[in-house]
Amino acid sequence: MCGRYASSRAPADLAGLFDAHWDPGEALAASWNVAPTDPVWAVLERADRDGGAVERRLRPMRWGLVPSWAKDPGVGSRMINARVETVHEKPAYRKAFTKRRCLLPADGFYEWEAVPATDRAKAYKQPYFIAPEDGAPMAMAGLYEFWRDPAVADADDPTAWLTTCTIITTEATDAAGRVHPRMPLALHRDDYGAWLDPTRHDTHELRALLHTPADGLLAVRAVSTEVNSVRNNGPRLLAPAGGAAPAPPE
């Protein structure tokens, strides 16, 4: 699974990297400890409400998909990931898979390995940070959905709608597989356009885009156990265990 990741690049930089429009009025703070239900940046393509041209946008969403038919948004905390093997079939995801796909930019993601107790120390979970070897951003394949809050009478009120997303996961490859059997599926840059294209609905063609994540070229390193708490944040979380904080991504 993917239950925590880092996303520290500025929105203006992300908009440039993904060739997307961004409204400066929408802002999220950099985070080195993104957790479920947090607001996150997403890249999507969608026509405006008047049926105009399709535009690629960078916009915030809440991590944890809430299906349109859900009775309340609380279910989103249990839908942070969707398995690539079944995402096109599951009722919570299949409609979004054919109509509402997105990319979720990340510096990298965290996974944990249980360390048993010894005579000198208690058992604990050692976090690892896993990211592309070349330092490029990960574009994690995702889905998004709109949920209508029945407590808000006016459908045109922005608070009437909650926009949420989920990360598609796959079997872990390369270095990531030594830590955890699952990982987020990062798309190749050449596939961004096809994945985001809202006019594409063929399940087989879409599934063909979901292949080896990040071309298998991933680096893994043990990092500080500070990341184990969602209350902690900052670039120091990416420091090699016992080392100094690395430079922020360019």
Side-chain angles (χ1 to χ4, degrees):
M1 65 173 292
C2 175
R4 214 82 65 76
Y5 68 95
S7 180
S8 64
R9 287 177 170 84
D13 295 335
L14 290 174
L17 286 166
F18 289 92
D19 193 25
H21 173 77
W22 164 63
D23 179 356
E26 296 177 328
L28 297 178
S31 177
W32 291 263
N33 201 357
V34 179
T37 73
D38 281 353
V40 299
W41 287 118
V43 179
L44 69 152
E45 291 185 359
R46 188 173 178 83
D48 61 33
R49 294 179 62 181
D50 297 324
V54 172
E55 182 179 57
R56 182 176 296 185
R57 294 185 57 86
L58 176 74
R59 59 161 295 176
M61 299 182 181
R62 195 178 81 169
W63 183 18
L65 188 137
V66 179
S68 60
W69 40 261
K71 293 183 178 180
D72 68 78
V75 300
S77 62
R78 302 191 299 274
M79 295 187 182
I80 62 170
N81 293 160
R83 296 174 65 92
V84 69
E85 296 87 351
T86 57
V87 65
H88 61 298
E89 301 170 336
K90 294 289 186 179
Y93 306 121
R94 62 190 179 197
K95 189 172 182 179
F97 185 76
T98 60
K99 293 186 175 182
R100 288 178 286 277
R101 297 174 300 276
C102 62
L103 297 172
L104 301 169
D107 306 334
F109 63 99
Y110 299 97
E111 289 296 355
W112 281 260
E113 186 174 55
V115 177
T118 67
D119 293 339
R120 299 179 180 179
K122 296 180 179 180
Y124 69 99
K125 290 186 176 181
Q126 173 60 55
Y128 290 84
F129 185 65
I130 303 165
E133 290 179 349
D134 61 3
M138 295 185 72
M140 302 184 295
L143 309 175
Y144 69 96
E145 190 59 271
F146 298 106
W147 182 78
R148 174 72 168 89
D149 186 349
V152 181
D154 184 359
D156 291 327
D157 185 334
T159 65
W161 297 92
L162 179 65
T163 311
T164 60
C165 59
T166 189
I167 297 170
I168 297 177
T169 65
T170 186
E171 290 186 4
T173 62
D174 197 37
R178 298 198 297 270
V179 180
H180 194 275
R182 303 292 296 183
M183 65 174 289
L185 204 158
L187 266 68
H188 190 280
R189 177 174 291 274
D190 292 345
D191 295 328
Y192 291 178
W195 177 251
L196 295 176
D197 185 351
T199 67
R200 287 178 175 257
H201 307 300
D202 186 275
T203 299
H204 297 292
E205 291 181 1
L206 294 169
R207 284 175 56 77
L209 301 174
L210 303 175
H211 46 81
T212 307
D215 292 336
L217 302 177
L218 297 166
V220 57
R221 67 172 183 270
V223 294
S224 168
T225 54
E226 278 195 79
V227 76
N228 293 1
S229 171
V230 296
R231 293 189 296 272
N232 296 327
N233 214 317
R236 69 183 186 281
L237 300 184
L238 298 189
E250 297 180 357

